[in-house]
Amino acid sequence: MSEVFGWRVAQKAPLWDSRPWPKVPPDWTCLQLELAGVCGTDLQMVRGYADFEGFLGHEFVARVLESDQPDWVGRRVVGEINVGCGSCRDCQAGDQRFCPARTVLGIRGLDGCFAERFRLPLANLHPVDDLDPELAVWCEPLAAALEVRQHLTPGVEVLVLGDGRLGSLIGLALREDHRVTVAGRHPAKLERLRAIGLNTTIGVSGLWPVVVEATGTAEGAQLAVRSCRPQGTVVLKSTVADSSGLDTNLMVVNALRVIGSRCGPFEPALQAMRSGQVDPRPLNDQMLDLSEFPRALESRGFKTLLRGPAWTDEPAASQ
Ligand SMILES: [Zn+2]
């Protein structure tokens, strides 16, 4: 166990490479990948968003290989990706997402899950022995999508900009409590979203009380600001390698509320999946072996999943 292999970025391309396997600190666990999800952030990171040397990957279902709590070993888990310092004001308040000294799995200072094995503190893990791994793997992005709900009044009309992975998931996450329309540019993707019951529109017209930007493009934020009704709310979700200037005058003139939104807590996402309120599995497109990650870069579909060494074809205990 002196070294571990995984996918990192070298010269804007994925590279299967080894790194020394560090000692697992007390209260941390060693995890073996069962299923990973490839998301827009991973693709942006291959293009150069975030200066990160480690292994990629932060959406996962895994088995606990090692833990100093023996009853955790062998369990199927998902895990929150932010690891705080434990002592700053945010960490003391129980929210590691904004700790200035945090590391983030597969994004900042901590090797990610597109690897043979990886590490997280036990406190970050949530058992999901009862969930289908193809559902549970959505926990992290669904938590991020549900975070948008925090900023909205139930029942309000919402335009989601973006018919890709993130926009589709936000549409599914919000439709229980809001009147949601997903706007995109790809007829085939929009057709597929209509088939799973979402309202869609090609292109954007009119002004909306709430606009959620999830295009994954530098121009998306500007379009969101332009599509928002005066005194409306714009929620920004995309992180992009080349973020462009934004016309702040329009925000001032129209007195917009502009909110940045990132990760969310896992509990509401687990609850939404367990109750059947949100089921993103229709967005799963292809399942590849971990070794085939570069093929995910060519996908024009919604979600690519990667099978890790802990993957089996056995069905989950229930569901
Ligand atoms: Zn902290």
Side-chain angles (χ1 to χ4, degrees), residues 9 64 72 104 161 168 173 175 185 195 244 270 277 306-307:
V9 179
V64 179
W72 279 80
V104 187
L161 288 184
S168 307
R175 72 170 163 183
R185 288 194 291 210
S244 70
L270 287 166
Q277 190 191 19
L306 303 173
R307 280 180 292 247

Side-chain angles (χ1 to χ4, degrees), residues 65-315:
L65 269 189
E66 288 170 36
S67 164
D68 47 22
Q69 301 290 317
D71 47 333
W72 279 80
V73 174
R75 297 199 76 171
R76 171 183 287 146
V77 294
V78 292
E80 314 226 12
I81 67 176
N82 295 281
V83 181
C85 69
S87 52
C88 72
R89 195 187 56 177
D90 288 302
C91 287
Q92 289 289 317
D95 192 344
Q96 306 182 80
R97 290 176 296 164
F98 302 105
C99 169
R102 72 187 180 277
T103 57
V104 187
L105 185 76
I107 294 173
R108 175 166 147 168
L110 180 61
D111 279 326
C113 64
F114 296 170
E116 296 171 314
R117 55 189 185 276
F118 54 102
R119 301 166 301 147
L120 269 179
L122 183 65
N124 285 51
L125 304 183
H126 299 262
V128 289
D129 298 288
D130 58 323
L131 291 181
D132 174 2
E134 291 177 52
L135 175 62
V137 72
W138 283 94
C139 192
E140 195 279 335
L142 180 58
L146 287 171
E147 207 278 338
V148 174
R149 273 198 313 204
Q150 303 251 84
H151 309 290
L152 309 181
T153 317
V156 74
E157 221 177 338
V158 179
L159 180 72
V160 178
L161 288 184
D163 55 9
R165 298 169 190 84
L166 184 60
S168 307
L169 186 60
I170 292 170
L172 286 178
L174 297 184
R175 72 170 163 183
E176 189 85 4
D177 299 324
H178 306 280
R179 287 177 293 151
V180 181
T181 302
V182 177
R185 288 194 291 210
H186 308 92
K189 287 187 176 180
L190 292 170
E191 179 56 45
R192 204 168 143 187
L193 296 180
R194 276 194 296 280
I196 55 173
L198 284 166
N199 292 325
T200 66
T201 173
I202 191 145
V204 184
S205 58
L207 295 175
W208 299 71
V210 176
V211 183
V212 180
E213 192 287 311
T215 64
T217 68
E219 308 79 47
Q222 187 63 22
L223 181 59
V225 166
R226 274 202 229 110
S227 310
C228 190
R229 183 184 291 177
Q231 299 192 77
T233 300
V234 173
V235 183
L236 301 176
K237 267 293 189 189
S238 298
T239 47
V240 289
D242 39 12
S243 59
S244 70
L246 189 56
D247 179 4
T248 51
N249 289 338
L250 203 52
M251 298 180 205
V252 174
V253 170
N254 283 338
L256 301 182
R257 196 163 70 112
V258 180
I259 295 163
S261 168
R262 203 182 54 175
C263 310
F266 272 31
E267 273 309 333
L270 287 166
Q271 198 188 331
M273 291 194 291
R274 288 197 164 109
S275 69
Q277 190 191 19
V278 185
D279 186 348
R281 280 176 290 189
L283 301 178
N284 289 345
D285 271 313
Q286 57 174 351
M287 199 188 285
L288 306 174
D289 288 327
L290 178 59
S291 61
E292 299 175 295
F293 167 60
R295 278 180 53 197
L297 303 175
E298 297 149 24
S299 169
R300 291 285 168 271
F302 285 109
K303 197 68 171 181
T304 297
L305 302 177
L306 303 173
R307 280 180 292 247
W311 171 260
T312 62
D313 284 319
E314 284 168 37

